[in-house]
Amino acid sequence: MESLSRRVKPVLPYLILGLVIMATTVLVFKLWDASLATFPLSYKPGDSAMTLFRSFEMRNGSGLFNLPNLSGISGSNTYSFYSIDLLLLVWQWFLSAVTGNFVLGYNLFVLSSFLFVGFSSLYSLKRLGMSNRIAFALSLLYTFLPYHSFRLFEHSYLGFYFLVPLACVFALEIYKGTFEGSIDCIKVSKKRYISNSICLILLGFTGIYYAFFACFIFFVAGICLSSNSGKISSIRVALASILKTIIGVVISAIPMLTHMSQAGVERSGFGAEVYSMRLSQLLLPITNHRISLIASLKEKYNGLIQANENDWSSLGLVFAVGLVVILMSIFLSLDKKKHSQLYPLMLLTVACLLIGTIGSFSTFFGFVFPFIRAYCRICVFIAFFCAIAIGIMLKDFQAWLDKVFSRKSKCIPSIILSVVLVLITSMGLIDQTSSSFVPDYEAIKTSYQNDEEFVSDIISTCGEDNGATLYMVPYMSFPENGAIGSYQDYSPLLLAMHSRDIHLSYGSLRGTAEDNTLNAIGQSAIEDQISYARDNGYNGILLATNAYDQGTTTTIIENTTTSLGEPSARSSNYIFWVIGE
C-alpha cells in the first residue's frame, strides 16, 4: 500500500490538473451545447477549414499530406507548404483513425491541446522548484492564455505550444550553467541528458515558429552565460541545444524537402512588420472582455491601430503584472541584479520583446527568414517568463507567511496561500476568457447540414457510381488565395469534406502547370470555361455566387444556363449545373 502511494503521489497533481482543465474547457466553451461526434467545433472558411479537411482526408486513408478530393481527379497535397509540425499531424491522424469519425477526431484534436500545455507547464514550473499548489495555479492560467483560445479555431496547430515552457526552462538553465544538454553532462545524469535532447529534437516537430523562437532564447542565454563566465566556450551548451532543435526541424521537414520542385507559399520580408505586436497589446485586456466598459475601450484602441492576429497577444491581468515586475527589475542596482531571480527573466523577456514588437529587430529578421513573419507568436514565451515571475513572488509570499506565523499554527500560512491562489486563478481565468470564445453551435449545425444536403444532391444528380468532378467558378489559387468578394479563402473545402465521391478543380498547388492552366482559363468567358471543363472530364460546374457583385453573378448564371440548362441544385452560396455529353 505504501509502495502504491509512493507511485501515485507524483502523478496525482497531473491527474487533478487534467480533470480541472477538462472541466474548465467545458465551462469556457459551453461544450454541453456541442455535439462533438456530429458537428465540428469550428465550421467556417480559413485555416480552421484546412485543419478540419485534413482530418477528413486522414480518416479516409489519404495519409498526412495527400488531398485526393482536390485538383480534379489528380489530387493535391500539402507537402510544399506545411508548417513543419509532423508530430501534430501524426497526433491528428491517430485521433481520426482511432475514432473512425473525422469530426470527432478533429474536435478531440483541438481540445487536447489544453491538456498538453497544462501538463507541460506544470512539470516545467515544478522543475524550477515551485510547490505543487503554486505550479498548479500558474499552469492552469498559462493553459488558458487568450492566445490559446483565440488560436483554437483559427490556427489550431499553434495551440500546441506545450514545449514552449520546457524551452523557457532550458534557456534559464543555460543562463545559470546548470543545463544538462552538452555531451559532458552524460557523466552527471545520463537520463536527464537524453530526456532534454529528446525534448529539443521534438521542438522541431511542433512548428517552425516555436523552434525558431526557442533557438533565439537559447542563443541569448548562451551569450549571457559566456559574458558572465568570461569564457567564450561557455556558449557551447546553447549551440548544442540549437543544433538538436535544428535536427528536429530538418527531420520534420523531410516531406517538404523531398517536394521542393512543387510551388509553395511565398512570403514577403515586410510581413514581420505587419504581424509583430505592440507592448501595449501584451498589457491590455482581451478584445470582447467580459466587462463591457473594458471591452468598449479595447475596441476603440483596436480601431486606432492595425490590429490583426497580434490582438491575440494579450497576457491577461495576472501575467501582465508579471511582465511589469520583470521590466521593473531593470532599475535594480547592479549588485541586486546579480542576486535577483528576476534578472535572467528580465534579460530573456527583453530579448523576446526586441524581436517580437513592431519596429524592432523582427523587421530585419523578416528579410533573412521571410517564411517567419508573425513574430507576435513569441508572446507565449513571454507569458511563461511572466508565470515564473509570479511564481517567484508567490514563493516569497509563502516564505513570509511561514515566518510571520512560525509561532502559531502551521495550518494558517497554508490556508492563506491556498485562498490567495484560488482568488488569483479564478480572477485570472475570468479575465483571460470571454463569452465570445463560445462557438455558435446552432449556426454551425445549420451550415454543416445545409452543405451536407447540397453535396448529397450533387452526388445523386451525377450518379454515385460516377461521383462528382466539379469545375469551380471563380478560379481560386491554393493555398492562401485570400477572399474573392465575400467568398473566403479555403471555402471550397467545406463542401469537399462531405463526401469521398466529390472532387473539385480547386486545390492545384499555386505555380504548377495545372494551376497555371486553370488560372488562365479562369480569366476567360464562362462559355470557354464550360468547354474546358467538358473536354477535361469534369461533369459539373459549381458557381460561388458570393464571389461577385449581383450584376456579374446574374450575367454568369444566365450565360451558364443558356449553355447547360437550368441548375440542378442550389444552396445559399452555390449553384450547380450538370455538364451533359
Side-chain angles (χ1 to χ4, degrees):
M1 192 68 179
E2 185 179 342
S3 175
L4 180 62
S5 176
R6 195 179 301 129
R7 292 178 182 178
V8 172
K9 190 174 181 180
V11 181
L12 192 59
Y14 297 93
L15 294 177
I16 297 174
L17 179 64
L19 292 173
V20 173
I21 286 175
M22 287 189 287
T24 306
T25 304
V26 170
L27 290 172
V28 170
F29 298 101
K30 295 185 179 180
L31 293 181
W32 56 81
D33 290 332
S35 301
L36 294 180
T38 310
F39 303 109
L41 293 172
S42 176
Y43 188 71
K44 59 184 179 180
D47 289 288
S48 63
M50 187 72 227
T51 307
L52 179 59
F53 185 68
R54 275 178 163 173
S55 289
F56 167 79
E57 295 288 27
M58 290 174 180
R59 170 63 187 88
N60 292 326
S62 303
L64 302 182
F65 304 101
N66 294 318
L67 307 173
N69 289 66
L70 304 185
S71 189
I73 59 175
S74 61
S76 187
N77 61 72
T78 62
Y79 286 109
S80 62
F81 66 92
Y82 98 106
S83 303
I84 313 182
D85 37 26
L86 189 59
L87 181 64
L88 307 183
L89 291 178
V90 171
W91 175 237
Q92 184 180 6
W93 168 84
F94 174 79
L95 290 175
S96 298
V98 168
T99 59
N101 179 336
F102 84 92
V103 171
L104 179 58
Y106 165 80
N107 290 336
L108 293 179
F109 173 72
V110 296
L111 292 175
S112 67
S113 62
F114 288 102
L115 291 173
F116 276 83
V117 174
F119 294 151
S120 173
S121 53
L122 178 60
Y123 168 80
S124 300
L125 291 168
K126 285 166 60 68
R127 178 163 168 163
L128 292 172
M130 295 184 191
S131 65
N132 281 330
R133 285 180 295 176
I134 293 175
F136 185 97
L138 294 175
S139 60
L140 189 60
L141 289 175
Y142 184 74
T143 299
F144 288 93
L145 279 176
Y147 174 94
H148 196 165
S149 299
F150 281 120
R151 293 286 179 194
L152 198 62
F153 305 128
E154 295 293 339
H155 304 100
S156 302
Y157 299 109
L158 290 170
F160 288 84
Y161 54 92
F162 62 96
L163 288 177
V164 169
L166 280 170
C168 293
V169 172
F170 291 169
L172 287 171
E173 291 179 350
I174 290 172
Y175 173 86
K176 297 173 185 176
T178 60
F179 182 59
E180 295 162 340
S182 69
I183 198 68
D184 301 333
C185 297
I186 294 182
K187 300 176 183 177
V188 180
S189 175
K190 185 177 181 180
K191 184 178 179 181
R192 179 61 68 87
Y193 171 80
I194 293 174
S195 62
N196 287 347
S197 298
I198 291 174
C199 288
L200 288 168
I201 292 173
L202 288 179
L203 258 173
F205 282 75
T206 56
I208 188 64
Y209 275 94
Y210 300 144
F212 177 79
F213 295 144
C215 289
F216 173 75
I217 63 172
F218 294 159
F219 183 74
V220 171
I223 290 292
C224 292
L225 174 63
S226 180
S227 175
N228 293 339
S229 65
K231 298 178 181 178
I232 191 66
S233 59
S234 299
I235 201 175
R236 70 182 187 279
V237 176
L239 296 178
S241 301
I242 293 172
L243 177 61
K244 290 170 188 174
T245 305
I246 292 174
I247 289 173
V249 170
V250 172
I251 295 174
S252 184
I254 286 176
M256 182 178 68
L257 296 174
T258 55
H259 291 76
M260 288 294 287
S261 59
Q262 293 185 353
V265 178
E266 295 183 2
R267 302 291 194 193
S268 167
F270 292 105
E273 190 68 14
V274 175
Y275 293 103
S276 294
M277 61 190 172
R278 291 170 169 80
L279 177 59
S280 56
Q281 289 176 311
L282 288 168
L283 297 172
L284 286 173
I286 63 172
T287 298
N288 296 320
H289 195 275
R290 294 181 185 275
I291 300 175
S292 57
L293 177 60
I294 295 177
S296 177
L297 292 173
K298 182 63 185 293
E299 185 179 2
K300 290 179 180 178
Y301 174 81
N302 286 343
L304 297 173
I305 64 170
Q306 187 180 13
N308 42 61
E309 69 170 80
N310 54 23
D311 183 43
W312 306 341
S313 304
S314 175
L315 298 175
L317 177 61
V318 176
F319 292 153
V321 171
L323 179 58
V324 172
V325 170
I326 288 173
L327 296 180
M328 288 295 289
S329 66
I330 295 174
F331 302 105
L332 291 174
S333 65
L334 185 60
D335 184 58
K336 287 184 177 180
K337 283 181 181 178
K338 292 180 179 179
H339 298 90
S340 173
Q341 292 178 286
L342 295 175
Y343 186 61
L345 292 175
M346 183 271 291
L347 291 174
L348 294 173
T349 301
V350 168
C352 290
L353 291 173
L354 286 176
I355 69 162
T357 50
I358 291 174
S360 62
F361 289 104
S362 60
T363 303
F364 304 101
F365 284 147
F367 291 99
V368 180
F369 308 105
F371 52 89
I372 296 176
R373 57 176 182 169
Y375 283 83
C376 61
R377 297 172 185 177
I378 203 172
C379 68
V380 287
F381 287 80
I382 296 173
F384 196 74
F385 289 138
C386 295
I388 297 171
I390 296 294
I392 291 172
M393 289 191 291
L394 287 171
K395 282 177 65 178
D396 291 342
F397 177 66
Q398 183 178 18
W400 178 81
L401 287 175
D402 291 336
K403 183 178 179 181
V404 170
F405 295 98
S406 59
R407 297 182 180 179
K408 300 180 181 180
S409 173
K410 293 183 179 180
C411 294
I412 296 178
S414 179
I415 293 172
I416 294 175
L417 179 63
S418 297
V419 171
V420 169
L421 289 175
V422 169
L423 289 174
I424 289 175
T425 306
S426 302
M427 291 174 59
L429 288 174
I430 292 172
D431 174 68
Q432 292 176 195
T433 59
S434 167
S435 58
S436 65
F437 292 170
V438 182
D440 188 341
Y441 295 116
E442 277 303 314
I444 289 173
K445 178 181 178 180
T446 301
S447 181
Y448 188 87
Q449 289 178 329
N450 288 343
D451 284 347
E452 191 170 47
E453 183 179 344
F454 180 61
V455 170
S456 178
D457 290 343
I458 291 175
I459 297 298
S460 61
T461 302
C462 294
E464 294 186 4
D465 294 335
N466 299 324
T469 306
L470 309 180
Y471 178 87
M472 297 202 68
V473 180
Y475 162 81
M476 176 179 273
S477 65
F478 177 81
E480 296 187 2
N481 181 88
I484 302 176
S486 297
Y487 193 54
Q488 300 299 312
D489 204 6
Y490 297 124
S491 289
L493 302 180
L494 298 179
L495 291 180
M497 66 180 66
H498 285 282
S499 174
R500 298 180 65 179
D501 296 323
I502 190 169
H503 296 80
L504 306 179
S505 60
Y506 169 78
S508 297
L509 289 171
R510 184 188 296 116
T512 58
E514 186 172 2
D515 175 69
N516 290 335
T517 300
L518 287 170
N519 188 9
I521 294 296
Q523 312 306 317
S524 60
I526 188 64
E527 293 83 358
D528 295 332
Q529 295 184 57
I530 293 172
S531 298
Y532 171 84
R534 180 183 284 114
D535 294 342
N536 285 273
Y538 291 95
N539 57 9
I541 297 291
L542 189 63
L543 170 66
T545 55
N546 59 347
Y548 304 97
D549 58 65
Q550 187 173 358
T552 304
T553 300
T554 301
T555 302
I556 294 175
I557 292 174
E558 291 175 350
N559 293 340
T560 306
T561 300
T562 300
S563 299
L564 299 176
E566 290 298 319
S568 301
R570 291 175 180 264
S571 72
S572 58
N573 294 321
Y574 294 100
I575 300 178
F576 165 68
W577 289 267
V578 172
I579 298 178
E581 295 296 332

